[in-house]
Amino acid sequence: MSVEAMTPPFLQLRGVAFSYRGHAVLKGLSLDVGRSEIVALLGGNGAGKSTLLRLALGLLSPASGEIFLEGRAISGLTRREIARRLAYVPQAHVAPFPYEARDVVMLGRLAENGLFRAPGASDHACVAAAFERLGVGHLARRRYTELSGGERQMVLIARALAQGAPVLVLDEPAAALDFGRQIELLRQLQQLAADGYGVLMTTHHPDHALASATRVVLLKDGVVLRQGRPAETLTPESIFDLYGVRVAASPLPGLFVAAGGLQRPT
């Protein structure tokens, strides 16, 4: 047996359930995120996607089930230990002060340095490398509060890369990006996966999952409706089950179009 086969996935959820004010949000959900994987979560509003991310990040505790990071129960890890394994990119973020973008990215180094150690040469090198990798070095000296929504999103992704964690957790990472930046982001995620990162992301765009993910998980009413390879799992039938709209596969690879306009089926 190979070493990789013996190594546990970066992130494991086993039979995880969670309720909010008596309402069951997740019901015995299980999934893995391994090395070189991009796992895309799809589902309508209220399906449990954001709750799943918060559980994976240790921000919420499951009512039942277990969550593991690199084979260790997340309940036994400190916040700093979790941050060394998971880097989070929120959908939106507002900085309270007009920091330069490079200072926002430097915050990613707190998981390594703690609060009381000044950044050193290696930290500045990590920050510069993150900007360079994403092709947004021109943003480094600009005020974060003066950036567009899409530019802020790229800075937050750079912060996650500077953090050095092997798993990136992204909540709707392409939501604020224009079309060109969306395509570039998906390419970057694929390259990160090729370099050994694990990626867990939510998206409302099946096309993005088809274009970039290695596996998709379809959530509905707190349970996994289907999961598997994108081309096999994201079918017109499964999208109808998930969103209640009929689509047809486009002649262009990896693209869905509305069937018969945008009216909901009866």
Side-chain angles (χ1 to χ4, degrees), residues 106-126:
M106 184 62 76
L107 292 175
R109 301 301 299 160
L110 287 176
E112 184 65 29
N113 297 334
L115 290 171
F116 304 109
R117 176 184 162 191
S122 62
D123 301 306
H124 288 284
C126 285

Side-chain angles (χ1 to χ4, degrees), residues 160-186:
L161 294 182
Q163 191 169 321
V167 183
L168 304 180
V169 178
L170 305 99
D171 189 7
E172 289 288 332
L177 303 181
D178 62 34
F179 181 74
R181 282 295 186 188
Q182 289 179 18
I183 298 304
E184 179 59 29
L185 171 64
L186 297 179

Side-chain angles (χ1 to χ4, degrees), residues 10-253:
F10 284 144
L11 173 65
Q12 296 172 288
L13 285 80
R14 292 289 177 266
V16 170
F18 182 84
S19 296
Y20 180 71
R21 294 183 178 177
H23 171 68
V25 180
L26 295 176
K27 309 168 186 175
L29 182 144
S30 296
L31 66 83
D32 295 343
V33 179
R35 180 179 298 277
S36 299
E37 277 198 302
I38 301 175
V39 179
L41 301 175
L42 290 93
N45 294 332
K49 302 186 301 298
S50 295
T51 298
L52 188 154
L53 295 191
R54 293 189 184 102
L55 287 163
L57 292 162
L59 301 177
L60 296 174
S61 299
S64 61
E66 295 182 283
I67 302 172
F68 300 93
L69 292 178
E70 296 182 325
R72 296 181 60 186
I74 195 171
S75 58
L77 299 176
T78 65
R79 290 304 315 164
R80 189 172 177 184
E81 287 174 326
I82 293 172
R84 285 175 170 171
R85 293 165 171 82
L86 294 177
Y88 177 51
V89 179
Q91 184 175 347
H93 174 259
V94 178
F97 302 105
Y99 297 113
E100 288 188 350
R102 61 178 180 173
D103 295 325
V104 173
V105 175
M106 184 62 76
L107 292 175
R109 301 301 299 160
L110 287 176
E112 184 65 29
N113 297 334
L115 290 171
F116 304 109
R117 176 184 162 191
S122 62
D123 301 306
H124 288 284
C126 285
V127 168
F131 275 111
E132 181 179 357
R133 176 159 199 163
L134 295 176
V136 291
H138 60 286
L139 301 178
R141 300 297 298 270
R142 290 182 58 188
R143 299 291 182 184
Y144 182 79
T145 50
E146 298 173 358
L147 301 179
S148 69
E151 289 171 334
R152 290 185 187 185
Q153 192 71 350
M154 297 304 287
V155 170
L156 293 178
I157 294 170
R159 183 182 68 179
L161 294 182
Q163 191 169 321
V167 183
L168 304 180
V169 178
L170 305 99
D171 189 7
E172 289 288 332
L177 303 181
D178 62 34
F179 181 74
R181 282 295 186 188
Q182 289 179 18
I183 298 304
E184 179 59 29
L185 171 64
L186 297 179
R187 289 174 178 165
Q188 290 288 350
L189 293 180
Q190 288 181 316
Q191 185 57 57
L192 289 167
D195 290 343
Y197 282 84
V199 177
L200 175 64
M201 71 175 186
T202 64
T203 179
H204 281 300
H205 297 285
D207 298 335
H208 289 178
L210 280 169
S212 63
T214 57
R215 185 156 43 91
V216 296
V217 179
L218 310 185
L219 294 181
K220 185 175 183 179
D221 298 327
V223 299
V224 175
L225 191 66
R226 293 182 65 183
Q227 66 173 307
R229 295 180 178 178
E232 299 167 359
T233 307
L234 283 170
T235 64
E237 294 77 18
S238 67
I239 290 177
F240 175 74
D241 291 339
L242 196 64
Y243 297 111
V245 293
R246 296 195 184 279
V247 298
S250 166
L252 296 174

